[in-house]
Amino acid sequence: MRDGKQVFLIHSGFGFQSSEKYVQYRQQLIGDHVFYIYKMILLCISALLVILYLLCNRQFSYWKLKKVPFDKPFLFFGSFFYVTFRKEHVFDRIRIIYNKFSTPYVGIYIFHQPVLVVRSPELVKRILVKDFDKFVNRNVARNLSADPLAFYTVFISKDEIWRCLRSKFSSAFTPLKMKMMSSSIKECAENLSCYLSSHSGETLEIKSVMKKFSTDITSSYAFGIETLCLHHEDSEIFKMAARLVDTTSFIRSVSILSYFFLPRLVDIFKLTFLDKPATDYFCSLFKETLKLREKSKIIRNDFLDILINFSNSEVTMDSCDCDNETIMASQAITFFTAGSDTIAITLSLTFYELALNKVVQDRLRTELREAVHKKGPPTWDMLENVKYLDMVVSEILRKYPLAPMLNRRAEADYLFQETGFTLDKGVSILVPVSGLHYDPDFYPDPYKYDPERFSEENRSKIKPYTYLPFGVGPRNCIGKKFALSVIKMGIAYAIKDFEFGVSDKTSIPLRFDPASIFVQEKQGIYLKISKIA
């Protein structure tokens, strides 16, 4: 009882000569507890880091055991630490890795995944063309319940679904279809010319202008609607188009990164490839337009007509768990997204290089005006014969490839007979497009913008499979012809009547936005536009 009373007196403060000493005692006691808790937290964190380090080391032993030269990984991030934290664009990272080695292939790690980077053009040919059946799929995540639209795109779909979609929709981009659509493309190009004329003498952020132009064209071809974004600054469809792949958004960046490199996160968090509200908007727009088109029986020979024919055909996709309307919407939205962004970026980069290279710009303008003088306003057929225009575009796509890398997944164990190395089934292969395009052995002085590389005489000297702006083989870019048609028409209508020059707001050199999946300037491309007689 005495002991109990003493404890009571101590805890109630009666065991101290003053209340101040009691307060000090309590503070020290609390401080000791807090220190102990912090210590335990630090110990737990340290233990977790050690475990992660050991797991990473175990995971990062693949290339060493395979006796393949490899880029030393940095913790969990592998070779992509700076890319993950938006300190470096993937375009530059791929090029750096390519330049560090001279072997036909090199191993890297992207997070925990071993990836084989193929540097040799001969191996690129073998993987993308000759042995395509062993590398038919891209290593991109897909989750039917999380994002059915992405699941059924030509870009992401796999195996039989991909083969069926590819064969059905390739007909949308034949030369004949491009000629049929040339009047719509020409009309949008004329609107672009009017827009530039109304802003003559001003400095414009040219990427946003080209985005409006490309949105008008892709909306017309994919959805069968006239959006007139160049005439309406507050266009709803333009705002939604910007949201689809908004890499300034942290969530969008994480989602896209996960689809390519962290597929488990896609499954765990049900991530969508494109922005959900924006895809819902375009799905609704597509379905409304589809009903109107079917009701009116109008035929425009556009992508929407191809989709309607697909829906009405007797061809079935046995492996599909989705209705035709969802599959159709998926193709339309993917085409719209990929087309509007890539065309806008390529055009803005073209005008940027022409502004820096006035001799090239003047020569191109002269050749375009001569063609117009002989044959009238630019058309599909006429632009096909302006050789210097093709050289200008080819060099832009060499210097700024929209896809800095191509990826494939080994569908079976694959033997590299030259070295005896066997790549295991399921491991990814990466083709370093930005590395090949900047290799001085293939393109002397690669940082220089020089359309003469693609003259008739010089083009034949380019080593095969070192120029890959649209990929190559059965899984190359399905919209290549459409993109080139629009890009050339946009350049023709702009350059023949306007001069593009630099201003105090022009970034020289360009600084790529590390948050973007495409190659584009971080602060925008500002150019001065001047109408000429």
Side-chain angles (χ1 to χ4, degrees), residues 468-480:
L468 305 165
F470 294 99
V472 70
R475 198 140 193 173
N476 68 342
C477 176
I478 193 173
K480 173 183 175 179

Side-chain angles (χ1 to χ4, degrees), residues 360-373:
V360 175
Q361 184 179 162
D362 291 342
R363 178 180 168 183
L364 177 60
R365 182 179 298 108
T366 299
E367 294 199 14
L368 284 168
R369 287 188 165 190
E370 286 176 356
V372 168
H373 179 70

Side-chain angles (χ1 to χ4, degrees), residues 445-463:
D445 197 4
Y447 290 89
K448 180 182 178 182
Y449 177 72
D450 182 12
E452 289 299 325
R453 300 181 203 273
F454 294 91
S455 65
E456 281 190 39
E457 179 186 355
N458 293 330
R459 188 184 286 267
S460 61
K461 299 175 185 176
I462 295 174
K463 189 174 181 64

Side-chain angles (χ1 to χ4, degrees), residues 148 155 200 499:
F155 178 78
S200 179
E499 181 176 75

